[in-house]
Amino acid sequence: MRRPKSDAWRVAAFVHRTSIAPAVWIHWEEIPVTSAFFCRANVSRLAFLCLASTSGASASAQIDSGSTGVDGVFPPPGTPVGPLTVDLSLAPTLGPGVVGTGNGVYDPDRWMVIFNYSSVDIPPEVQVVFKNHPSRAPVVWLVDGNVNIVGDISLNGGAGSLTPVKYSEPGPGGFRGGIAPPDGPSDASSSGFGPGGGFLNPADLQHFGTAGSYATLGSIGPNGGGATGAIYGDPSIFQLVGGSGGSAGRSVQAGTATAGGGGSGGGAILIAADGSITIGTTGSITAIGGSAFNSSLDGGGGSGGAIRLVADLVFLNRAAGGTGAILNAGGGSSFSGGTGGGSGRIRIESNNGAAGLAVGTSPPAVLGVPGQILPPVATIPSLRVSMIAGFVTPTDPRAGLGVGSAGVADIVLAQSGLANVEVVGDNIPIASRIFLRLTKGQGIGSSDIELTPAIAPPIGNDLHWTRTVSVNLPTGFTALQARAQP
């Protein structure tokens, strides 16, 4: 990821260019393949940056969202009531001469789909939802006027499933939930994805899923559930990233129980306005983790995502009777015996502080004065898995998750077993603790490894370093994702 040069910022945890390293999918198969290649479908990725504060902002700060207004007003004039899908896959990739035309632009360096609006005015009975970009990047709205939300904005994670067999789809910026196979002894359930994804328990053949973590730990499933994933991110949400997936339930004995899929992580959104942001009494912004599938052995819920609001004035209004605006980044639920996801993060930066907040948020919002909105590209801390078994990984991985023979990996290797994995860090203190998470596409075998100096000595300095570690890569599809913390 990247960070400003100001001493007020402190890197705490990263993964891939924007912080957490993007997940790189590999596939071991018995047919030798000689080249690495890009995946056509999506790969979740992560980037973490923990900050000590917001860039040295003063007690009252002037707001400059940086919006050019090129994407016009939102919603477009004449938008009917009902669901309004914003298709993030239509955003062109940022480059020379590329500007938004209502669809935003995808910034691969920051791992964000960025919109430049002149104003936002979401009326009642309009529900804004999102179709993910192929990179599953989070959403940024830069607005050079005011934002008024009386309708709804949803970045909620998708629920776990059983039939059809599929990974639950996260909100933009979040990570997928674990897959659950049909009843039978195939043992093809999976852990959740993302840095806080819940794990399966390899020592127990039948158990409920474990929920995803983010700002808080997800719950561990009863009946021998697996371990929780890591807490990650920072209250500043300067590194914009969503929630992680819950693991599926696990059932290896045919005819005795049905395992349910894990919920996916809630998405992440940043709304920054030069004027005010007002959430009306019927308005809401939600980034709730996906619920687990209800079955004999439920999966775990996904963790909540992230909501960051930055403006001169922010108002959350209350209606008569005590109800009102809703900001919710809570974890996804489960049912009979499954587990709920960890909470996400909410941050509100304004010059009127708590005075404008007539209603609470879930979880409670962290308040601050307006700080730096986007990380400067030139100094973003970058952490990525750069090479696996001698194959160079794509810089913007988008691999599909393999189910059986489906999916296309970023890298295909000829056999399973030990392989060298190189992790590269730029603008990250060389003394940072580095972790490498391996999440298997189906079945047990996922792990989270700390790359200590004893097993992966760093070479370089705070501006650029490499670490190489030998890891045991299992058969089948595996996602590799790196993260850093102080």
Side-chain angles (χ1 to χ4, degrees):
M1 227 165 73
R2 297 166 189 181
R3 58 172 179 173
K5 296 178 180 178
S6 167
D7 291 335
W9 297 97
R10 178 175 61 86
V11 172
F14 324 73
V15 178
H16 199 29
R17 288 189 304 276
T18 328
S19 279
I20 289 179
V24 175
W25 281 90
I26 65 166
H27 185 231
W28 293 103
E29 57 184 29
E30 299 308 318
I31 301 173
V33 177
T34 59
S35 63
F37 53 93
F38 285 67
C39 274
R40 291 187 297 255
N42 310 300
V43 155
S44 333
R45 61 152 141 196
L46 217 32
F48 302 124
L49 173 65
C50 287
L51 304 171
S53 65
T54 51
S55 74
S58 60
S60 180
Q62 181 69 35
I63 308 302
D64 181 6
S65 67
S67 175
T68 64
V70 70
D71 290 306
V73 299
F74 183 84
T79 297
V81 298
L84 171 60
T85 299
V86 178
D87 188 347
L88 302 177
S89 70
L90 298 178
T93 299
L94 185 65
V98 175
V99 296
T101 56
N103 295 316
V105 293
Y106 170 57
D107 185 338
D109 288 318
R110 293 189 175 101
W111 189 53
M112 298 172 173
V113 178
I114 301 174
F115 293 82
N116 286 265
Y117 291 126
S118 55
S119 65
V120 172
D121 190 357
I122 301 174
E125 301 181 4
V126 170
Q127 301 92 40
V128 179
V129 295
F130 298 89
K131 178 183 177 182
N132 275 328
H133 185 269
S135 68
R136 289 189 169 80
V139 178
V140 174
W141 287 359
L142 305 178
V143 185
D144 64 9
N146 296 325
V147 174
N148 185 41
I149 301 170
V150 190
D152 304 302
I153 300 174
S154 172
L155 302 97
N156 297 340
S161 69
L162 181 65
T163 304
V165 177
K166 64 176 184 177
Y167 300 92
S168 54
E169 185 71 9
F175 301 89
R176 291 175 169 185
I179 197 170
D183 181 27
S186 61
D187 197 17
S189 294
S190 77
S191 298
F193 295 87
F199 287 99
L200 294 174
N201 183 354
D204 195 314
L205 298 181
Q206 291 199 166
H207 62 76
F208 291 89
T210 293
S213 302
Y214 186 7
T216 62
L217 290 174
S219 302
I220 296 177
N223 192 30
T228 58
I231 289 177
Y232 58 96
D234 180 88
S236 71
I237 319 181
F238 190 68
Q239 179 176 10
L240 192 64
V241 65
S244 295
S247 77
R250 187 184 184 208
S251 178
V252 180
Q253 297 171 317
T256 59
T258 300
S264 61
I269 188 168
L270 160 63
I271 302 177
D274 292 358
S276 63
I277 296 176
T278 301
I279 316 294
T281 57
T282 59
S284 70
I285 304 175
T286 59
I288 302 169
S291 59
F293 186 84
N294 186 9
S295 63
S296 303
L297 294 171
D298 299 347
S303 57
I307 301 169
R308 183 185 174 207
L309 306 181
V310 184
D312 180 27
L313 303 174
V314 175
F315 300 98
L316 304 185
N317 291 331
R318 181 187 299 272
T323 61
I326 296 173
L327 295 185
N328 193 337
S333 63
S334 192
F335 297 91
S336 57
T339 55
S343 296
R345 301 182 184 276
I346 298 176
R347 182 175 178 87
I348 299 174
E349 299 172 31
S350 70
N351 289 319
N352 62 331
L357 311 183
V359 294
T361 66
S362 179
V366 174
L367 305 182
V369 294
Q372 187 157 13
I373 294 171
L374 296 179
V377 171
T379 54
I380 291 178
S382 168
L383 179 67
R384 71 186 190 93
V385 177
S386 59
M387 189 175 295
I388 301 171
F391 291 95
V392 176
T393 65
T395 57
D396 190 19
R398 303 183 183 185
L401 302 179
V403 179
S405 60
V408 178
D410 291 299
I411 292 175
V412 176
L413 302 175
Q415 62 183 18
S416 59
L418 291 175
N420 284 339
V421 175
E422 181 184 78
V423 177
V424 174
D426 292 299
N427 301 312
I428 296 172
I430 195 170
S432 299
R433 296 178 66 190
I434 307 299
F435 295 82
L436 180 66
R437 176 171 171 131
L438 286 71
T439 307
K440 202 170 184 303
Q442 288 184 278
I444 60 174
S446 300
S447 59
D448 197 19
I449 305 166
E450 181 173 2
L451 307 188
T452 64
I455 66 171
I459 301 173
N461 52 47
D462 288 350
L463 297 179
H464 177 82
W465 52 256
T466 62
R467 300 189 190 204
T468 301
V469 63
S470 180
V471 298
N472 189 12
L473 295 172
T475 301
F477 286 85
T478 301
L480 279 74
Q481 198 166 51
R483 73 180 189 276
Q485 61 189 58

